[in-house]
Amino acid sequence: MGSKLKGQIDPDSPSYVQDPYSRYSHPPVLEPSLAGAVLFLLVTVIVNIKLILDTRRAADEDPPAQEYEDVIPNMETPRRPASGRKVLDMEVYSSRSKVYVAVDGTTVLEDDMQEQGRGIHVIVLNQATGHVMAKRIFDTYSPHEDEAMILFLNMVTRGRILIFTIKDEGTFHLKDAAKNLLKSFGSQASLNLSWRDMWTLVVKKGGPVCGEKHSKSPALSTWGDPVLLKTEVQLTAAEEAECHWADTELNRRRKLFCSKVEGYGSICSCKDPAPIEFNPDPLPNNNVFNVPVAVIAGNRPNYLYRMLRSLLSAHGVNPQMITVFIDGYYEEPMDVVELFGLKGVQHTPISIKNARVSQHYKASLTATFNLHPDAGFAIVLEEDLDISVDFFSFLSQTIHLLDQDDSLYCISAWNDQGYEHTAEDPGLLYRVESMPGLGWVLKKNIYKDELEPKWPTPEKLWDWDMWMRMPEQRRSRECIIPDVSRSYHFGIIGLNMNGYFHEVYFKKHKFNTIPNVQLRNVDSLRKDSYEAEVQKLLTEAELLDHSKNPCEDSFVPDTEGKTYVMFIKMESELDTSTWTELAKCLHVWDLDVRGYHRGLWRLFRKRNHVLVVAVPISPYS
Amino acid sequence: QTGLHLLNPAGHVTSSQVQWQTLKKFLALAQHFRLAVFLADTTVLTLLSQDALRQRDRMTREPHCSFLCTGRPITSFALQANQWKLNPGFLLAAEQKGFELLEVRGHDPRLASLDTLSGEEIPLHFLFRLHGYIIHVVLLYERSGNYLWHGVLRLKANMDRSFAPFKLLDYGRHAGAYDRPELMLTVIDSLDIRVPRNISQFLMQQQRAQYLECRYHDARSFLQLYPDDSSTAAVEFRRKAKALLNLAARTLGELDIPFWISSGTCLGWFRQCSIISYSQDVDIGIFITDFRPDIAEAFRDAGLSLKHKFGKVEDSLELSFLGEDIKLDIFFFYKDGDIMWNGGTQAKSGRKFKYIFPSFSLCWAELLEVKVRVPCETLDYVMANYGATWSIPVRSWDWKSSPSNVMENGVWPMAEWAGLIQVY
């Protein structure tokens, strides 16, 4: 797309930053253009191949070990000795269409793809080893990216080597705060950086500038000449690069982590590091203590970090049962897993895009039940979820239903329609015909006897969750969900995709923060009891005034704690237009029809319970 | 510490006292960390299972340590791995008590499936050494076929090969599969020790515990060349075959009759770690020496119907049962010198056939999450049956002519047909 002049509208769909993992459980509404998709596939494939080649590849089938009978001399080659070199040679290149960074002849960054990688590339190196600890791109052509860059740079530990280089355009929305920060690092050019300038900088944070080059753009319509910075960086002794934490098992993990990666806030603070062990309260009668937890992850280590922190802080968590399944041989997610002392499993990527996610899901679920042959259930989580403090308590109170009621498909922590203004009661549960995912419990029998044998094969480019929702799989079974969700889908925040989409559909989702919520009448969620429950509700419900516009605030009276009923037209399953209209003005999920039970939606308006009945398809009409 | 002052009448610290002290120390540690290790040492368990006379005989020789001190420098224990809490405390404490430690890790077989997953290596064996005595702890992992598994003990190149007399170990030469043993706490040589409740059964299992992991790597390559049929019919067939295999394993298990998967079912396991979806039946083999007349009744009770019975116990016996709508073929194997063979009969002509295999022993394996046996020399077995091109799928198969090892074997005398060729 290239950079554009002021006032022009950027088509804001950089499909290339979309990770397949950001797309779980959304309908395909924001499908990028076909060309974008093809490019995306291509990039995905290339990136995958590259990652497979150059990151930790677990030795596959044949271990280089011998039977103990064969006595052979020690043949293992020693690890590369710490070289005596104390200086790193650097080359940093900045231009309109290409950036690269080479450290001691090794290319650690190379980006010459068209229509991607615009902005300021930042690389953090360990000042003692020269290892790459973080790589980021801040598209400071676009608004607010400079704020993200400031946050990131402030988190980087003092003494680290920072490398900056601009591709295409990186100054349009680079505000003074960011320029001043760069100046405080020692940059001479930062205050003068402007439209389509090329720029490179190598600096030790809190230390000397090792080199800087800047070339001004001569005119609005042209770019500055490419710059190539060649410089040397003095390495420091290992001890100087480390903090002196007390020598404990936890700190050993912390030390290892902090020597490898940057950008995780105060985890690596020398003086007051953030905890990596949380010791949340146990649950008195925990029925899910021995249920395995599968965390499905891609390559979004910062997300995974946030997710695992909330998971390990939830009451009743059993870290022994957690396995993180990483789709690909990525280092950094594995580092995060090891930081928390958890078990991580890496999966060779199969297929592409949604099918890749789907295959990863299958492999992870199969492995989960393999690792825990005694388990009757598995809890399935994704790397972009916050977990409520009473998540396990919620499951512990409901999991028996899956065993006792064959008409159930899953228990999910997520209410598709549970927004700040439509969810109210943390003790209330529903039955719904859709399968929400986003933190859910799967029964082993359902997986082993039904889903696993016919799981979509890689060449079918299907979403696993869409597939699970198909009638052939769901077979009219329902899921139990809470009114107030026990998970929060933060997955889209920070991703450079449609901010409006997240704002509208996810950000305002209600998330329970109250511990130890006692769920009410759990057994009334069984098939027959629930029908009686719904009938009772309908009997006591007051009919809303249908002559009023349901989009008007006055449609629901200003009462509290009452139950109301309204009727909408729905001639068939496919006749969704009335519901969609209503959902739009209620500001709930309207991209497809979700969260209903036999043509009935239940939600809250102004602290009143509102029943929406579809006429005539609902048996309640 | 007191042990070293325990002198024998001659005033010397005997080696058995040192061994006893070593065991005592180890068991105290295990108890402190709540690790329910149980005695798995074949020599000691054999002594325990023998008659009292022999015990008294030993008592007189080694009053303090009449069972545990066997003259071998090794004592083996086993531990269910789910009790191994990743707790470095135990190993640390053992080292503080003077034990030297050798930990052997290996790949986690539960991640080895048709997908390429790799996790951290898991601990398989621990060897603790003190005063020249070795305590071997074998970790037993739960597997999905409802059994316990331990891994092979492989030393990595940088490990100390003189740490222990590895050849004397009871466990580790092969991977092994075991039933979950019921344990009981007992006192042996004044030490509290857990032992399997049914010692002789445990020892019998130990004799034939060798386990073969499926060759997932090769199976993946095979499936890349010949992708699995994922049609509804194929999925249905695999489901039924799994149910039938499960039922066969349970039924024969109750009768205590060992069986192995044979013919196409064995090929499916060996070649693609699954059931060949167009194979139409489940084939198993049983040694004729294990034949019992109540087999047919047991399968009938389990809900199968006898479809045909060919031959007789003395010659070419073959039983076939019908499950949901697929067949369970049971071939009985006869030993003849250094070969094994089973028979076939053509119902309409009375013609007999003979299928010849090189002699084999039995190993455990897992197929469709069912623990089954396979010939340990699986490749020889499959090659005998399917020839050198066993790795190429053949859809049209004639049991009378296609197998590489089929031989004409005459014709049943017409007069005996009624008894020898029974079709239901």
Side-chain angles (χ1 to χ4, degrees), chain B residues 251-316:
Chain B
T251 308
L252 292 169
E254 277 161 16
L255 296 175
D256 216 10
I257 297 175
F259 77 92
W260 64 94
I261 50 172
S262 188
S263 309
T265 309
C266 184
L267 178 64
W269 174 80
F270 188 69
R271 187 171 71 184
Q272 54 212 69
C273 299
S274 180
I275 289 264
I276 299 172
S277 56
Y278 51 86
S279 61
Q280 294 166 9
D281 48 23
V282 171
D283 303 314
I284 64 173
I286 293 177
F287 292 123
I288 193 66
T289 46
D290 290 322
F291 173 79
R292 282 170 45 174
D294 49 354
I295 289 179
E297 201 185 308
F299 275 113
R300 247 197 309 271
D301 291 348
L304 303 190
S305 55
L306 184 62
K307 189 161 176 289
H308 64 239
K309 179 185 174 207
F310 295 147
K312 51 187 174 183
V313 175
E314 299 76 34
D315 184 9
S316 301

Side-chain angles (χ1 to χ4, degrees), chain A residues 61 68-69 346 350 448, chain B residues 118 153 173 217 220 369:
Chain A
E61 315 299 310
Y68 48 77
E69 283 89 345
Q346 293 168 312
I350 299 171
K448 280 287 166 189
Chain B
S118 60
L153 193 159
R173 184 166 297 270
H217 189 71
R220 269 201 298 277
E369 288 161 10

Side-chain angles (χ1 to χ4, degrees), chain A residues 320-395:
Chain A
Q320 297 281 342
M321 300 304 285
I322 300 173
T323 308
V324 181
F325 293 93
I326 300 165
D327 192 9
Y329 289 95
Y330 303 111
E331 290 251 16
E332 201 167 321
M334 201 60 172
D335 293 335
V336 170
V337 171
E338 283 166 3
L339 170 71
F340 290 117
L342 297 174
K343 187 160 57 197
V345 171
Q346 293 168 312
H347 178 212
T348 306
I350 299 171
S351 190
I352 44 170
K353 222 183 171 186
N354 299 349
R356 170 173 169 183
V357 175
S358 171
Q359 293 312 304
H360 181 50
Y361 251 87
K362 183 189 181 192
S364 306
L365 296 177
T366 299
T368 299
F369 288 118
N370 272 345
L371 289 168
H372 304 279
D374 290 344
F377 308 97
I379 297 169
V380 186
L381 300 172
E382 288 153 23
E383 68 183 346
D384 54 1
L385 297 177
D386 283 330
I387 297 306
S388 163
V389 65
D390 78 330
F391 177 76
F392 292 105
S393 160
F394 160 70
L395 296 181

Side-chain angles (χ1 to χ4, degrees), chain A residues 58-61 66-70 320 329 344-348 350 363 367 370-371 373-374 448 453, chain B residues 85-86 107-108 110-111 115-119 142-144 153-155 158 161 166 172-173 217 220 235 369:
Chain A
D60 210 0
E61 315 299 310
Q66 292 82 35
E67 299 291 340
Y68 48 77
E69 283 89 345
D70 336 320
Q320 297 281 342
Y329 289 95
V345 171
Q346 293 168 312
H347 178 212
T348 306
I350 299 171
N370 272 345
L371 289 168
D374 290 344
K448 280 287 166 189
Chain B
K85 296 280 187 215
L86 298 162
H107 285 303
D108 190 337
R110 298 165 304 176
L111 296 178
D115 269 296
T116 325
L117 296 173
S118 60
E142 294 274 348
R143 296 287 298 263
S144 12
L153 193 159
R154 285 168 193 269
L155 292 179
N158 58 350
R161 268 148 213 286
F166 288 103
R173 184 166 297 270
H217 189 71
R220 269 201 298 277
V235 169
E369 288 161 10

Side-chain angles (χ1 to χ4, degrees), chain A residues 84-90 126-130 159-161 202 204 208-210 231-237 240:
Chain A
R85 281 182 59 84
K86 288 274 188 265
V87 171
L88 293 178
D89 290 325
M90 301 265 188
N126 184 298
Q127 67 272 42
T129 61
R160 300 282 185 237
I161 300 161
V202 178
K204 269 190 187 168
V209 171
C210 311
T231 182
E232 285 185 343
V233 177
Q234 198 70 32
L235 288 179
T236 52
E240 290 170 42

